[in-house]
Amino acid sequence: LSGGQTRHETAVEADVMAQWLLKREKIPAQHLLLERGSVNTRQNLCNTHRMLGDQSLPAGQVRIVTSDFHCWRTARLAAACGLSGATVCGSRTMVLIAPLYHLRETLAIVYGVLRRDDAQKNTRGEKEQG
């Protein structure tokens, strides 16, 4: 379970998910691995990959559960963080708020592309100077 606490949140996301699973699904605590340090999707995935370490997990062994609107970007980020064999599953977003979250996700995708382009330009500039 992956997720830390941003300044806008009142609890650590991983802890909230763990409490829910322990209470409602009766999942034994020893079966839960919590990553509490991340504050965005990339950190969620990369920190989780680091926590899994060198375990050779067969394709499909890792399942990433997120919101339906977030699946595409999550799958791409998971692959970039080394979780290329992971399965991404989406939960349905309530109809009334779905348009807002789909718009937000679209903007996040555009931002990610622009950020990556800036990083590539900076790397190329450093190589040309060095």
Side-chain angles (χ1 to χ4, degrees):
L1 306 170
S2 183
Q5 181 177 358
T6 66
R7 58 189 160 110
H8 302 293
E9 295 171 324
T10 58
V12 175
E13 287 182 8
D15 292 341
V16 171
M17 291 183 276
Q19 290 170 8
W20 190 89
L21 288 170
L22 291 167
K23 182 177 179 181
R24 292 196 177 80
E25 300 297 323
K26 310 292 189 226
I27 306 275
Q30 65 269 24
H31 291 178
L32 301 178
L33 180 63
L34 279 66
E35 182 284 310
R36 295 180 174 102
S38 57
V39 294
N40 62 46
T41 304
R42 180 180 298 279
Q43 289 177 8
N44 289 143
L45 298 163
C46 290
N47 291 352
T48 297
H49 182 252
R50 269 188 234 104
M51 285 179 75
L52 293 173
D54 292 331
Q55 298 179 36
S56 56
L57 300 169
Q61 182 77 24
V62 175
R63 293 185 188 243
I64 300 167
V65 180
T66 189
S67 302
D68 55 1
F69 61 85
H70 196 42
C71 287
W72 184 83
R73 187 164 64 101
T74 298
R76 291 180 55 97
L77 289 170
C81 288
L83 295 168
S84 56
T87 302
V88 179
C89 310
S91 64
R92 188 175 304 147
T93 303
M94 291 188 314
V95 173
L96 292 175
I97 62 171
L100 175 65
Y101 283 101
H102 282 276
L103 174 61
R104 181 179 179 272
E105 187 68 9
T106 301
L107 294 173
I109 291 167
V110 170
Y111 174 75
V113 169
L114 293 174
R115 205 169 132 210
R116 185 178 62 231
D117 287 347
D118 283 347
Q120 288 173 350
K121 286 178 189 173
N122 288 339
T123 302
R124 274 184 261 143
E126 289 171 7
K127 287 179 184 175
E128 290 171 5
Q129 291 175 0

